[in-house]
Amino acid sequence: MIICSLFLFINYSLADTSIEKREFVLYAKLPLVPKISVLNIATTLIENNKNEFDLNFKVKTLDLIKYFNEIDGNGSVKGFKNQNNYYPEQYIYDYTRKGKNKSVVLKYKDGNLVNEYFKPSFDKNKLTPISDKQKNNTIDPATLFLRLLDINKTSRCNDLVKVYDGKRRYNIIFKEVSLVNNIIECSAQQDRIGGYKKDKVDLYTNTDLVKLRYDTTSDNEFLEFYAKKGLLEITIKEIIN
Protein backbone atom coordinates (compact mmCIF):
# COMPACT_ATOMS: atom_id res chain seq x y z
CA MET A 1 0.00 0.00 0.00
CA ILE A 2 2.84 2.40 0.90
CA ILE A 3 4.66 1.65 -2.38
CA CYS A 4 1.47 2.16 -4.40
CA SER A 5 0.73 5.43 -2.60
CA LEU A 6 4.27 6.66 -3.22
CA PHE A 7 4.04 5.71 -6.90
CA LEU A 8 0.76 7.61 -7.29
CA PHE A 9 2.21 10.65 -5.48
CA ILE A 10 5.28 10.74 -7.73
CA ASN A 11 3.17 10.48 -10.89
CA TYR A 12 0.79 13.17 -9.62
CA SER A 13 3.71 15.50 -8.83
CA LEU A 14 5.32 14.94 -12.22
CA ALA A 15 2.00 15.59 -13.95
CA ASP A 16 1.83 19.01 -12.32
CA THR A 17 5.43 19.90 -13.20
CA SER A 18 6.79 20.77 -16.62
CA ILE A 19 10.50 20.56 -17.45
CA GLU A 20 11.89 22.17 -20.58
CA LYS A 21 15.54 21.96 -21.65
CA ARG A 22 16.90 24.20 -24.41
CA GLU A 23 20.30 25.09 -25.80
CA PHE A 24 21.49 28.22 -27.61
CA VAL A 25 24.65 29.56 -29.24
CA LEU A 26 25.74 33.20 -29.34
CA TYR A 27 27.60 34.19 -32.50
CA ALA A 28 29.67 37.30 -33.23
CA LYS A 29 30.52 38.79 -36.63
CA LEU A 30 32.57 41.68 -37.96
CA PRO A 31 32.54 42.95 -41.56
CA LEU A 32 34.49 40.79 -44.05
CA VAL A 33 34.99 38.12 -41.38
CA PRO A 34 32.94 34.91 -41.01
CA LYS A 35 30.84 34.70 -37.87
CA ILE A 36 32.31 32.77 -34.95
CA SER A 37 30.69 30.86 -32.08
CA VAL A 38 31.21 32.76 -28.83
CA LEU A 39 28.97 31.32 -26.12
CA ASN A 40 26.95 28.21 -25.43
CA ILE A 41 23.88 28.78 -23.26
CA ALA A 42 22.02 25.77 -21.85
CA THR A 43 18.78 26.28 -19.92
CA THR A 44 16.44 24.10 -17.89
CA LEU A 45 13.06 25.60 -17.00
CA ILE A 46 10.91 23.91 -14.34
CA GLU A 47 7.35 25.14 -13.75
CA ASN A 48 4.67 23.82 -11.41
CA ASN A 49 0.95 24.36 -10.91
CA LYS A 50 1.58 26.92 -8.15
CA ASN A 51 2.87 29.41 -10.73
CA GLU A 52 6.41 28.99 -9.44
CA PHE A 53 9.40 28.50 -11.71
CA ASP A 54 13.04 27.53 -11.46
CA LEU A 55 15.42 28.42 -14.26
CA ASN A 56 18.88 26.84 -14.26
CA PHE A 57 21.41 27.89 -16.86
CA LYS A 58 25.00 27.23 -17.88
CA VAL A 59 27.19 29.57 -19.91
CA LYS A 60 30.47 28.60 -21.53
CA THR A 61 32.72 30.27 -24.10
CA LEU A 62 33.46 28.37 -27.31
CA ASP A 63 36.20 27.97 -29.89
CA LEU A 64 38.95 30.58 -29.99
CA ILE A 65 37.13 32.99 -27.69
CA LYS A 66 37.87 30.84 -24.64
CA TYR A 67 41.58 31.54 -25.07
CA PHE A 68 41.09 35.31 -24.92
CA ASN A 69 38.09 35.87 -22.64
CA GLU A 70 37.00 32.55 -21.15
CA ILE A 71 33.73 32.43 -19.22
CA ASP A 72 32.40 29.36 -17.45
CA GLY A 73 29.28 29.99 -15.38
CA ASN A 74 26.32 28.40 -13.67
CA GLY A 75 23.26 30.26 -12.51
CA SER A 76 19.69 29.95 -11.35
CA VAL A 77 16.54 32.00 -10.94
CA LYS A 78 13.71 31.21 -8.57
CA GLY A 79 10.52 33.16 -9.07
CA PHE A 80 6.83 33.20 -9.86
CA LYS A 81 4.48 33.76 -12.78
CA ASN A 82 1.96 36.55 -12.55
CA GLN A 83 -0.42 37.39 -15.41
CA ASN A 84 1.47 34.79 -17.46
CA ASN A 85 4.86 36.49 -17.11
CA TYR A 86 8.06 35.68 -15.20
CA TYR A 87 9.22 37.61 -12.14
CA PRO A 88 12.39 36.77 -10.16
CA GLU A 89 12.64 36.37 -6.40
CA GLN A 90 16.26 35.23 -6.34
CA TYR A 91 18.99 35.33 -8.97
CA ILE A 92 22.34 33.60 -8.47
CA TYR A 93 25.20 33.55 -10.96
CA ASP A 94 28.56 31.97 -10.16
CA TYR A 95 31.14 32.17 -12.90
CA THR A 96 34.82 32.15 -13.74
CA ARG A 97 36.13 34.84 -16.06
CA LYS A 98 39.78 35.09 -17.08
CA GLY A 99 40.66 32.64 -14.30
CA LYS A 100 38.92 34.65 -11.57
CA ASN A 101 35.92 33.32 -9.61
CA LYS A 102 33.00 35.73 -9.30
CA SER A 103 29.47 35.62 -7.87
CA VAL A 104 26.34 37.73 -8.06
CA VAL A 105 23.24 37.27 -5.87
CA LEU A 106 20.12 39.43 -6.24
CA LYS A 107 17.04 39.04 -4.04
CA TYR A 108 13.64 40.62 -4.66
CA LYS A 109 10.48 41.13 -2.66
CA ASP A 110 7.25 42.62 -3.99
CA GLY A 111 9.10 43.77 -7.09
CA ASN A 112 11.79 45.61 -5.16
CA LEU A 113 15.46 44.66 -4.93
CA VAL A 114 16.05 44.02 -1.21
CA ASN A 115 19.53 42.49 -1.19
CA GLU A 116 22.52 42.19 -3.48
CA TYR A 117 25.82 40.42 -3.00
CA PHE A 118 28.98 40.46 -5.10
CA LYS A 119 32.21 38.52 -4.90
CA PRO A 120 34.63 40.11 -5.30
CA SER A 121 33.29 43.57 -4.55
CA PHE A 122 33.95 46.36 -7.03
CA ASP A 123 34.43 50.11 -6.89
CA LYS A 124 31.10 51.65 -7.88
CA ASN A 125 32.73 55.09 -8.02
CA LYS A 126 34.38 54.05 -11.29
CA LEU A 127 30.98 53.46 -12.88
CA THR A 128 28.15 55.77 -13.82
CA PRO A 129 25.77 56.02 -10.81
CA ILE A 130 22.62 54.00 -10.11
CA SER A 131 20.18 54.94 -7.35
CA ASP A 132 18.42 52.34 -5.19
CA LYS A 133 15.11 53.51 -6.61
CA GLN A 134 16.31 52.75 -10.15
CA LYS A 135 16.94 49.12 -9.12
CA ASN A 136 13.32 48.52 -8.10
CA ASN A 137 10.86 46.86 -10.48
CA THR A 138 13.76 45.38 -12.43
CA ILE A 139 14.47 41.83 -13.53
CA ASP A 140 17.76 39.97 -13.90
CA PRO A 141 19.35 39.13 -17.31
CA ALA A 142 18.34 35.44 -17.17
CA THR A 143 14.68 36.32 -16.60
CA LEU A 144 14.95 38.82 -19.44
CA PHE A 145 16.26 36.08 -21.74
CA LEU A 146 13.41 33.80 -20.64
CA ARG A 147 10.85 36.46 -21.50
CA LEU A 148 12.36 37.19 -24.91
CA LEU A 149 11.92 33.57 -25.96
CA ASP A 150 8.14 34.08 -25.94
CA ILE A 151 6.68 37.03 -27.83
CA ASN A 152 3.66 37.09 -25.49
CA LYS A 153 5.95 37.75 -22.51
CA THR A 154 6.84 41.13 -24.04
CA SER A 155 3.23 42.17 -24.67
CA ARG A 156 3.86 41.15 -28.28
CA CYS A 157 6.83 43.49 -28.56
CA ASN A 158 5.09 46.44 -26.96
CA ASP A 159 6.88 46.71 -23.66
CA LEU A 160 9.60 48.42 -21.64
CA VAL A 161 11.69 45.99 -19.61
CA LYS A 162 13.89 47.23 -16.76
CA VAL A 163 17.01 45.12 -16.21
CA TYR A 164 19.71 45.08 -13.50
CA ASP A 165 22.53 42.52 -13.55
CA GLY A 166 24.26 43.52 -10.32
CA LYS A 167 26.44 46.11 -11.99
CA ARG A 168 24.69 47.55 -15.03
CA ARG A 169 21.20 49.00 -15.13
CA TYR A 170 19.47 49.35 -18.50
CA ASN A 171 16.08 49.33 -20.19
CA ILE A 172 14.99 47.33 -23.21
CA ILE A 173 12.48 49.49 -25.07
CA PHE A 174 10.52 47.96 -27.95
CA LYS A 175 10.10 50.38 -30.84
CA GLU A 176 8.56 48.70 -33.87
CA VAL A 177 6.97 45.43 -35.01
CA SER A 178 6.93 44.26 -38.62
CA LEU A 179 5.74 41.13 -40.43
CA VAL A 180 7.67 39.92 -43.50
CA ASN A 181 7.36 36.46 -45.07
CA ASN A 182 5.68 35.00 -41.97
CA ILE A 183 8.46 36.33 -39.73
CA ILE A 184 7.63 38.76 -36.92
CA GLU A 185 10.53 41.14 -36.36
CA CYS A 186 10.57 43.21 -33.18
CA SER A 187 12.95 46.15 -33.02
CA ALA A 188 14.15 47.34 -29.64
CA GLN A 189 16.66 49.72 -28.13
CA GLN A 190 18.90 49.40 -25.09
CA ASP A 191 18.76 52.52 -22.92
CA ARG A 192 21.73 52.56 -20.53
CA ILE A 193 20.82 53.94 -17.12
CA GLY A 194 23.99 53.40 -15.07
CA GLY A 195 26.78 51.08 -13.99
CA TYR A 196 28.90 51.50 -17.13
CA LYS A 197 32.51 52.46 -17.71
CA LYS A 198 32.90 55.30 -20.15
CA ASP A 199 34.04 54.39 -23.67
CA LYS A 200 34.18 50.68 -22.88
CA VAL A 201 32.59 48.14 -25.25
CA ASP A 202 31.08 45.07 -23.56
CA LEU A 203 30.27 42.29 -26.01
CA TYR A 204 27.47 40.88 -23.86
CA THR A 205 25.59 43.92 -22.56
CA ASN A 206 26.28 47.11 -24.54
CA THR A 207 24.25 47.28 -27.75
CA ASP A 208 22.93 50.01 -30.03
CA LEU A 209 20.25 47.94 -31.74
CA VAL A 210 18.24 44.86 -30.76
CA LYS A 211 15.96 42.76 -32.97
CA LEU A 212 13.95 39.65 -32.12
CA ARG A 213 12.47 37.34 -34.73
CA TYR A 214 9.60 34.83 -34.40
CA ASP A 215 8.01 32.39 -36.87
CA THR A 216 4.26 32.86 -37.32
CA THR A 217 3.93 29.50 -39.11
CA SER A 218 5.12 27.67 -35.99
CA ASP A 219 3.07 29.26 -33.17
CA ASN A 220 5.35 32.32 -33.02
CA GLU A 221 8.39 30.17 -32.28
CA PHE A 222 11.57 32.06 -31.30
CA LEU A 223 13.98 32.22 -34.23
CA GLU A 224 16.74 34.65 -33.42
CA PHE A 225 18.05 37.40 -31.18
CA TYR A 226 20.10 40.00 -33.05
CA ALA A 227 22.07 42.90 -31.61
CA LYS A 228 24.56 45.37 -33.01
CA LYS A 229 27.28 47.46 -31.40
CA GLY A 230 29.12 49.59 -33.92
CA LEU A 231 30.41 47.17 -36.58
CA LEU A 232 29.99 44.14 -34.32
CA GLU A 233 26.91 41.96 -34.92
CA ILE A 234 25.68 39.49 -32.30
CA THR A 235 23.10 36.75 -32.84
CA ILE A 236 21.64 34.07 -30.56
CA LYS A 237 20.02 31.02 -32.13
CA GLU A 238 18.60 27.86 -30.62
CA ILE A 239 20.19 24.50 -31.31
CA ILE A 240 17.44 22.19 -32.53
CA ASN A 241 18.22 18.51 -32.00
Side-chain angles (χ1 to χ4, degrees), residues 95 97 102 104 106 116 118 120 122-124 127-130 135 164-170 194-197 202:
Y95 63 104
R97 186 171 188 177
K102 301 185 179 185
V104 180
L106 305 176
E116 52 185 325
F118 315 97
F122 58 90
D123 188 355
K124 296 182 179 181
L127 307 174
T128 53
I130 311 171
K135 298 175 185 178
Y164 177 61
D165 66 4
K167 181 179 288 187
R168 290 162 289 261
R169 169 70 178 85
Y170 56 93
Y196 292 89
K197 291 183 179 180
D202 190 316

Side-chain angles (χ1 to χ4, degrees), residues 37-40 59-74 93-102 203-204:
S37 305
V38 177
L39 280 176
N40 178 274
V59 178
K60 191 174 183 65
T61 43
L62 299 170
D63 300 334
L64 293 175
I65 297 299
K66 64 184 179 183
Y67 296 105
F68 301 101
N69 189 13
E70 184 175 12
I71 297 177
D72 191 352
N74 292 276
Y93 183 37
D94 298 315
Y95 63 104
T96 301
R97 186 171 188 177
K98 295 182 179 178
K100 297 181 180 180
N101 296 326
K102 301 185 179 185
L203 174 64
Y204 308 111

Side-chain angles (χ1 to χ4, degrees), residues 106-152:
L106 305 176
K107 293 186 177 181
Y108 306 83
K109 185 176 182 180
D110 299 327
N112 295 327
L113 184 69
V114 294
N115 191 21
E116 52 185 325
Y117 166 80
F118 315 97
K119 181 182 178 182
S121 58
F122 58 90
D123 188 355
K124 296 182 179 181
N125 294 322
K126 295 181 179 180
L127 307 174
T128 53
I130 311 171
S131 69
D132 290 338
K133 184 177 180 180
Q134 288 175 320
K135 298 175 185 178
N136 291 332
N137 299 310
T138 61
I139 61 174
D140 60 272
T143 302
L144 169 66
F145 185 68
L146 187 58
R147 288 190 183 187
L148 296 181
L149 294 177
D150 184 344
I151 191 173
N152 294 314

